[in-house]
Amino acid sequence: MLLLGFDVGSSFIKGALVEAESGRVLAAVTVPEQELKIESIHPGWAEQDPEQWWQCVQQAVAALRGRHPFDPEAVGGIGISYQMHGLVLIDREGRVLRPAIIWCDSRAVPVGERAFQELGPERCLRHLLNSPGNFTAAKLRWVLENEPDIYRRAYKWLLPGDYVAFRMTGEPTTTVSGLSEGIFWDFLEEKPAYWLLDHLGIDHTLMPRLVPTFGRQGELTREAAAALGLRPGTPVTYRAGDQPNNAFSLGVLHPGEAATTAGTSGVIYAVDDTLRYDPQTRVNTFVHVNHTPEQRRYGILLCLNGTGILYRWLRQDLLGGTLSYEAMNEQAAAVPVGADGVRVLPFGNGAERMLRNRNLGASVHGLDFNRHGRAHLLRAAKEGIVFALAYGLEVIRGMGLAVEKVRAGRANLFLSPLFGRIYATVNRTVVELYDTDGAAGAARGAGVGAGVYASPEAAFQGVPPVATIEPDPSWQELYAEATTTGLKSSPVNFKRLTEQWQTHRPSTASVAGRSTRARAASSRPTFAPPGRPIASTRSRSSIWSKRRSHRACPIRSRWASSCTTTTRSTSRTPRRSRRRWPRPGCIWR
């Protein structure tokens, strides 16, 4: 028997063909050749066309058949892994009503925060283990408030993986794990959080029918089978979000085990059997794939949005695609620990949950034009990603979870020996690398759902780690020395800088989704740099009306006015000019 698995990400769709009896991966593909486009028509927005996911799944099947020709009759199950927290709306004919609002979209942050305060933090945390935050439920409420015509036409809401399964089976369905990731699940009551839907004004009938994570979820329709080149009636037997699925793909199923990824986003995912939550909701708790009412399993997830996407931006936009990732890694490895004081905050891909849903934007610090080159920036980017994950890992450890060993797929940033060494050293963990990915894990999940494997554990027997990375004691000493200088890059100084930046840097998360005029007004600088008083106690409007008088001089209007504020003292002292905080997007050294 053969098993098919698909991992539907926001950058690529991966496919895997697995031989059920041996567990051997016969073929693996990634499509398309260029990364999928994310549309961002307003600051903080991120959308994709769900149809492109379905087209890429078809391409993946064709590519698998090209790598390893197979008989469609031999396929006994299909598994789906997918990018989490997205929102797809369909009408009664199954037509998509608007582009999907995907995981890194920040527009619903104010909606979720309002619901959190109105319902009460204690109630939300006890029952949801999370704030409605920026998850699917809050995004659905945003559509209700801002696009009421679309909401009225909606028949069902779907997560991205639910949509792909719908295209295969013709039935809109979801899972308990899916409900938990969208913040539709009451953990205490073990049922959908209908009280939250009532508060948000969301119609209960929009919720898809529940199906098991492992088990028969539907069968390929004739239309879907023809599009995929498979047999009609082939069962879909597994579905999970990409991070629970990644943990499953690495055999992370029981309390004390943890998985990590470093793809477009970076994640640490620890499994527990106790209901835990972070009072500040910097990490999130979801239902794990093997959860049952009798054997409870929860995944505590730390997410950093700006991980692989930062390195991709450096390669494509800053370096113009002139270097391969391998060459970038070699250059970064030539720079000593701490990148000679260059620091990168990688918070440039939407609101970060570890920063309480603030969208700070990425920034570079300590750059010296006379000493530093691109190699320093490349090294600082890797260190910044790891430091950010370590910043969040402190939260997980503070919740009572001991994370001493993590498992990862040998893919994405973990293809870089330098990144793996920094990761193990800074986080004080042993990293085990496995030759697997989300698509292969989804295929094995399909085998569990189809009854080929007796249990989730049985699906990974005989899958050993291909490498083990230990923390480097000499590097730990160097990072500790960097901490004492207060200047060079280190985990402690990264934390200090991040907290300082949160205090003094305006966030765009609270204005995402509002009108262009309102966003422009609310994103104007209102803070002074650290250690400097705000220049004036007058209202923002009076300050900016003063700046408008400079429009006769474009250069002064654009640059001088954005950096200085002229104030008049109550005593008859001369006017003075003081620097103000830079506009969003500036690099502040």
Side-chain angles (χ1 to χ4, degrees):
M1 180 186 292
L2 300 178
L3 303 166
L4 274 175
F6 302 99
D7 184 8
V8 181
S10 53
S11 299
F12 298 101
I13 280 69
K14 297 179 180 180
L17 181 68
V18 173
E19 186 178 60
E21 292 76 13
S22 66
R24 186 164 59 97
V25 177
L26 301 178
V29 298
T30 300
V31 295
E33 292 184 1
Q34 299 294 326
E35 295 186 26
L36 296 173
K37 187 173 180 57
I38 297 176
E39 299 290 344
S40 183
I41 60 175
H42 296 299
W45 288 31
E47 299 180 340
Q48 286 185 323
D49 179 6
E51 178 63 25
Q52 69 179 345
W53 304 334
W54 178 238
Q55 295 295 330
C56 286
V57 169
Q58 296 176 54
Q59 295 172 30
V61 176
L64 288 171
R65 187 177 289 109
R67 294 275 183 90
H68 188 95
F70 62 91
D71 181 2
E73 296 289 334
V75 177
I78 297 174
I80 302 168
S81 167
Y82 59 89
Q83 50 171 299
M84 301 167 69
H85 315 309
L87 173 66
V88 181
L89 290 172
I90 59 171
D91 64 13
R92 288 188 175 274
E93 285 70 45
R95 294 173 298 204
V96 175
L97 295 175
R98 69 172 326 284
I101 303 175
I102 65 171
W103 60 278
C104 53
D105 187 290
S106 306
R107 76 186 73 182
V109 169
V111 176
E113 180 60 27
R114 186 172 69 240
F116 187 56
Q117 297 302 326
E118 291 172 352
L119 289 166
E122 182 180 356
R123 184 183 186 188
C124 287
L125 292 174
R126 287 185 65 246
H127 288 265
L128 305 175
L129 304 187
N130 302 285
S131 162
N134 191 38
F135 299 105
T136 312
K139 292 169 182 173
L140 185 53
R141 172 66 192 191
W142 184 93
V143 173
L144 171 61
E145 291 180 358
N146 295 274
E147 300 172 346
D149 291 340
I150 289 176
Y151 179 84
R152 281 193 293 269
R153 292 162 54 199
Y155 170 58
K156 297 292 180 184
W157 60 260
L158 300 170
L159 300 167
D162 299 338
Y163 177 74
V164 173
F166 168 71
R167 292 301 299 264
M168 290 182 176
T169 66
E171 300 178 60
T173 59
T174 193
T175 65
V176 169
S177 182
L179 288 184
S180 75
E181 75 176 68
I183 315 300
F184 294 106
W185 186 250
D186 189 319
F187 286 79
L188 279 184
E189 302 293 334
E190 282 281 327
K191 66 180 183 181
Y194 293 116
W195 53 272
L196 174 64
L197 298 183
D198 292 337
H199 179 82
L200 296 175
I202 296 172
D203 189 344
H204 295 196
T205 63
L206 294 178
M207 183 180 293
R209 178 174 64 87
L210 277 174
V211 294
T213 297
F214 298 103
R216 206 173 189 89
Q217 301 179 353
E219 300 176 348
L220 287 188
T221 64
R222 290 188 178 277
E223 294 78 8
L228 297 171
L230 299 174
R231 172 179 59 86
T234 302
V236 176
T237 55
Y238 171 76
R239 190 185 327 167
D242 53 6
Q243 298 309 326
N245 175 72
N246 178 69
F248 167 71
S249 303
L250 296 164
V252 173
L253 298 165
H254 300 295
E257 298 174 342
T260 188
T261 60
T264 302
S265 63
V267 166
I268 297 174
Y269 186 97
V271 177
D272 196 18
D273 58 359
T274 304
L275 292 178
R276 302 176 194 260
Y277 59 82
D278 171 35
Q280 299 182 52
T281 67
R282 294 163 296 178
V283 300
N284 305 106
T285 304
F286 304 119
V287 172
H288 196 32
V289 294
N290 59 334
H291 172 88
T292 65
E294 298 76 30
Q295 180 180 278
R296 301 193 173 194
R297 293 291 182 267
Y298 306 107
I300 298 176
L301 185 150
L302 156 71
C303 181
L304 170 66
N305 293 352
T307 304
I309 192 172
L310 166 60
Y311 229 59
R312 185 199 69 188
W313 180 85
L314 289 171
R315 180 175 182 264
Q316 294 183 353
D317 294 275
L318 196 63
L319 302 179
T322 56
L323 288 179
S324 67
Y325 285 120
E326 292 77 8
M328 291 169 66
N329 292 333
E330 289 175 3
Q331 291 195 12
V335 175
V337 167
D340 193 27
V342 180
R343 290 156 291 171
V344 172
L345 300 190
F347 307 123
N349 191 26
E352 291 285 1
R353 281 173 260 167
M354 72 168 68
L355 304 181
R356 305 174 198 174
N357 276 326
R358 295 198 57 164
N359 186 354
L360 298 185
S363 55
V364 179
H365 303 254
L367 191 65
D368 188 320
F369 300 141
N370 298 310
R371 297 200 339 262
H372 300 140
R374 66 185 178 192
H376 293 85
L377 192 59
L378 295 175
R379 169 92 188 206
K382 287 183 185 292
E383 290 184 335
I385 290 166
V386 174
F387 293 164
L389 291 170
Y391 179 76
L393 185 56
E394 282 188 20
V395 179
I396 293 179
R397 286 172 168 156
M399 294 168 64
L401 279 79
V403 180
E404 298 177 354
K405 181 170 68 175
V406 297
R407 301 175 189 174
R410 189 168 61 178
N412 302 313
L413 283 175
F414 278 107
L415 289 171
S416 163
L418 173 64
F419 180 82
R421 188 177 172 191
I422 296 172
Y423 185 104
T425 302
V426 169
N427 287 308
R428 306 186 306 280
T429 59
V430 175
V431 180
E432 291 184 347
L433 296 181
Y434 289 78
D435 232 346
T436 187
D437 63 12
R444 291 188 172 96
V448 177
V452 177
Y453 306 119
S455 66
E457 294 83 358
F460 296 95
Q461 291 179 355
V463 182
V466 294
T468 300
I469 307 172
E470 301 276 353
D472 187 322
S474 64
W475 279 17
Q476 286 179 329
E477 293 177 5
L478 290 171
Y479 282 122
E481 289 175 7
T483 297
T484 62
T485 67
L487 295 173
K488 292 187 177 181
S489 185
S490 72
V492 173
N493 288 331
F494 180 93
K495 180 180 179 180
R496 291 172 184 161
L497 179 61
T498 299
E499 291 174 348
Q500 184 183 65
W501 197 245
Q502 287 184 76
T503 303
H504 297 286
R505 175 73 162 83
S507 169
T508 62
S510 61
V511 298
R514 292 160 55 186
S515 69
T516 303
R517 186 173 182 177
R519 283 196 306 274
S522 60
S523 64
R524 289 163 183 158
T526 59
F527 300 105
R532 297 288 299 277
I534 295 178
S536 174
T537 57
R538 291 184 298 168
S539 69
R540 185 189 303 168
S541 59
S542 66
I543 292 172
W544 281 83
S545 63
K546 185 75 175 178
R547 291 181 185 171
R548 284 196 290 270
S549 66
H550 295 310
R551 284 180 179 169
C553 176
I555 295 178
R556 186 177 182 189
S557 173
R558 183 177 179 185
W559 298 108
S561 300
S562 67
C563 293
T564 62
T565 300
T566 303
T567 62
R568 186 185 296 276
S569 172
T570 53
S571 62
R572 297 188 178 183
T573 54
R575 286 188 174 186
R576 61 191 179 190
S577 180
R578 292 190 177 179
R579 284 188 66 84
R580 295 184 60 80
W581 200 241
R583 292 177 182 273
C586 292
I587 295 177
W588 186 270
R589 184 184 171 192

